[in-house]
Amino acid sequence: MVLDLDACINSLFQRQLLAESVIKEICEKTKELLMSESNVVHIKAPVTVVGDIHGQFYDLLEIFKIGGYCPDTNYLFLGDYVDRGLYSVETMSILTCLKLRYPERVQLVRGNHESRAVTQTYGFYTECMKKYGSAQVWHYFTDLFDYLTLSVVIDNMIFCVHGGLSPSIHTIDQIKVMDRFREIPHEGPMADLVWSDPDPGRDEFAVSPRGAGYTFGSLVVEKFLHENNMDHILRAHQLCMEGFQVLFDDRLSTVWSAPNYCYRCGNLASILEVGVEGERHFNVFEAAPENERPSAADSQRSDAIHYFL
């Protein structure tokens, strides 16, 4: 039976889960596609950049309403598709289908939550068990995570990554030769790319309070951009109450795309539209009106929100 991606996408837009066998086939085909991608994917503007989604599927649907549907809009997703929210399966399913259907118009970067270890703790594993009755779908997706690219460069000028910079990485070429086809390690340059954060109070690198990656300051950003002949760093990874944050004299931006994070933070969210002349516009939005409140059982999953993950 031939895989009908359009039918799969339509079903997901109708809030219908895909069959386990279909997810297996989609993941296998997407891994084949991603194998040919570099650790640094070069794309051209215009492109709409999306930050953390964290399983908030109804808000992802809102993003498509605001930013446009594929293939009319080019999308770059910066990782953390799963965990926290209640619909990580649907979120990963639709993003994987869209990548497979429109490979040149959809880019998927790996975040720190695209990991076996993290998803076993923060919701995705439990959700797969609940919705499919076994861990197979979790295995299919977490195996796929190992193939996601680590970074994207827009028009040779904007470096895009989930987390941030690393003291071990000075040039883009160093990222290109890394072995990404594995679980995210606890330390080292691959971990730094998905875990690190900017710190406006610092100039250099410092130990991160997250317990992984580093914090980095203005001098680190200036040096990296100069070394690589670029003018901006674009990343996600950190909750922004206004939906975005711009630091270091407009040299670095954070885009956050999960409004009312964990269904209780009350934050705004944004997507970033990058134009053909390099202009950047944050399109800010609130939580989708049809967002369902988590049940009492889901609310008890964690009364305290761990902002560091």
Side-chain angles (χ1 to χ4, degrees):
M1 184 176 176
V2 178
L3 179 63
D4 187 341
L5 284 171
D6 289 331
C8 291
I9 292 167
N10 288 336
S11 293
L12 289 160
F13 272 116
Q14 297 301 316
R15 287 73 160 168
Q16 297 170 0
L17 287 172
L18 300 181
E20 182 179 312
S21 59
V22 175
I23 289 180
K24 179 181 181 181
E25 185 176 359
I26 287 168
C27 287
E28 290 299 320
K29 289 182 180 297
T30 307
K31 284 193 290 187
E32 292 175 18
L33 172 67
L34 295 175
M35 274 196 75
S36 64
E37 289 192 348
S38 168
N39 293 345
V40 184
V41 175
H42 287 262
I43 64 172
K44 293 185 179 299
V47 62
T48 296
V49 185
V50 182
D52 293 32
I53 301 168
H54 281 299
Q56 296 184 199
F57 181 68
Y58 289 94
D59 295 310
L60 176 59
L61 298 185
E62 192 77 1
I63 285 171
F64 290 129
K65 291 178 187 175
I66 295 166
Y69 292 91
C70 297
D72 298 325
T73 300
N74 299 321
Y75 278 100
L76 164 56
F77 294 91
L78 292 180
D80 278 15
Y81 313 113
V82 299
D83 289 338
R84 303 295 191 187
L86 302 178
Y87 307 99
S88 294
V89 169
E90 291 90 336
T91 300
M92 269 311 300
S93 296
I94 199 163
L95 292 179
T96 307
C97 285
L98 289 171
K99 174 63 179 176
L100 202 53
R101 180 67 176 84
Y102 308 108
E104 302 301 319
R105 294 188 173 273
V106 176
Q107 308 299 332
L108 301 177
V109 171
R110 191 172 192 175
N112 61 302
H113 277 259
E114 277 68 66
S115 149
R116 294 168 184 81
V118 175
T119 54
Q120 282 181 294
T121 303
Y122 290 96
F124 185 41
Y125 177 86
T126 303
E127 182 185 328
C128 290
M129 290 291 293
K130 180 180 177 182
K131 291 178 177 176
Y132 287 94
S134 79
Q136 280 304 118
V137 166
W138 177 80
H139 282 294
Y140 298 147
F141 279 126
T142 53
D143 286 349
L144 171 66
F145 292 160
D146 290 344
Y147 291 77
L148 294 172
T149 191
L150 299 175
S151 62
V152 167
V153 173
I154 303 172
D155 289 334
N156 295 319
M157 297 305 292
I158 304 175
F159 176 68
C160 307
V161 68
H162 177 71
L165 302 180
S166 168
S168 303
I169 297 171
H170 308 292
T171 68
I172 297 294
D173 287 342
Q174 289 177 283
I175 301 175
K176 291 180 179 178
V177 297
M178 290 167 53
D179 173 21
R180 80 171 191 266
F181 299 102
R182 56 187 176 132
E183 174 74 334
I184 298 170
H186 295 296
E187 58 185 12
M190 182 172 169
D192 298 341
L193 290 173
V194 302
W195 279 101
S196 293
D197 297 293
D199 183 347
R202 293 189 176 274
D203 290 329
E204 300 289 350
F205 283 104
V207 175
S208 173
R210 292 182 187 266
Y214 292 84
T215 60
F216 57 94
S218 58
L219 292 181
V220 171
V221 169
E222 287 180 38
K223 185 175 181 181
F224 182 85
L225 291 174
H226 177 74
E227 287 278 336
N228 293 281
N229 196 28
M230 296 185 184
D231 60 20
H232 201 79
I233 295 170
L234 179 53
R235 42 89 67 178
H237 192 43
Q238 277 180 303
L239 171 64
C240 303
M241 291 306 293
E242 301 304 315
F244 69 94
Q245 186 178 38
V246 180
L247 297 174
F248 309 136
D249 296 323
D250 199 25
R251 291 187 176 94
L252 180 145
S253 297
T254 298
V255 57
W256 180 266
S257 302
N260 193 27
Y261 182 42
C262 295
Y263 310 106
R264 69 181 96 172
C265 280
N267 61 285
L268 296 173
S270 74
I271 53 178
L272 176 58
E273 296 162 353
V274 180
V276 290
E277 300 297 327
E279 66 274 19
R280 301 186 303 275
H281 170 68
F282 287 98
N283 201 333
V284 178
F285 63 98
E286 298 180 341
E290 68 266 52
N291 240 324
E292 296 180 15
R293 296 292 300 174
S295 66
D298 289 312
S299 295
Q300 291 169 5
R301 206 188 294 165
S302 174
D303 288 331
I305 299 170
H306 303 281
Y307 290 102
F308 283 155
L309 275 167

